[in-house]
Amino acid sequence: MATMYETIMNLPLFKGLSHEQVSSFLEKTHIKFSKYSDREKIISAGERVKEIKCLISGQMRLSYNLGNDNCFRLTELRRNHEVLGADRLFGMDTTYGFDAYAVGNVSTMEFSKEQYQNLLNAGSIYLINYLNFLSYGAQVRFNIFSDYPKGGVAVNCARLIRTYCSRNSENITFYFNHQDFAQFCDMDPDSFNREIAYLESSGIIRQIPGGISIVSEERLLEGL
């Protein structure tokens, strides 16, 4: 089992810290540890981001409501060593854009925005890690249209996954009404259904009640 030092050092905002720096962080920062049981709601969409929440053990399912009138939904599974809320601490929108639920038993570590600001002022390594964290998200969103220039089901799914999901996401699922998602993809129903059938026969997706599950995220993101 990983020690608390190893757990913290594996979080993206704390990469490269020494044991001494982790000790200083633990001594100077008021940290709240929380535990959640299976299916318990951890985060609500629209809730104000007042702290950084770190998933230190277990799994969370994140759910994003998308499209006009929230006509479809994207879900992903995230495991430990994920950081939630850091990209919404500052800026015009400082609310969570997803709901998060525990999958099995989950433990989190939280500390406030004010305390994190103190860390950013305390040493360059915190600032560099934070800038790298933000830059990755910004660059991914910039590249999704150049990486996937054409339309269709696969392209739109790839764009949404690259925009919303973590690099380490698993078990990605889309829930939708076929007519609504076809309209979102700017496709007629027949073309939409043909591509869904092709992606399933190719082993890239699997149709499930009310949507599709991504079987081969790698092939989908690589443009098939």
Side-chain angles (χ1 to χ4, degrees), residues 98-164:
F98 53 82
D99 297 308
Y101 301 86
V103 179
N105 294 322
V106 166
S107 296
T108 64
M109 178 182 78
E110 303 161 20
F111 49 94
S112 70
K113 173 181 177 177
E114 290 73 22
Q115 290 176 308
Y116 189 55
Q117 286 179 293
N118 291 335
L119 288 176
L120 294 177
N121 292 324
S124 60
I125 190 166
Y126 294 107
L127 184 58
I128 290 171
N129 282 337
Y130 189 49
L131 290 175
N132 285 335
F133 179 86
L134 295 178
S135 295
Y136 173 79
Q139 290 164 6
V140 163
R141 287 160 177 77
F142 180 81
N143 291 335
I144 56 174
F145 289 97
S146 59
D147 290 346
Y148 310 108
K150 298 180 181 180
V153 177
V155 164
N156 279 286
C157 287
R159 285 174 176 168
L160 291 168
I161 290 170
R162 290 281 301 277
T163 299
Y164 289 96

Side-chain angles (χ1 to χ4, degrees), residues 36-54:
Y36 301 88
S37 56
D38 188 38
R39 300 186 182 182
E40 187 174 355
K41 195 170 192 179
I42 301 172
I43 292 171
S44 295
E47 175 185 347
R48 185 72 59 189
V49 180
K50 297 179 180 179
E51 69 280 319
I52 289 180
K53 192 182 295 287
C54 305

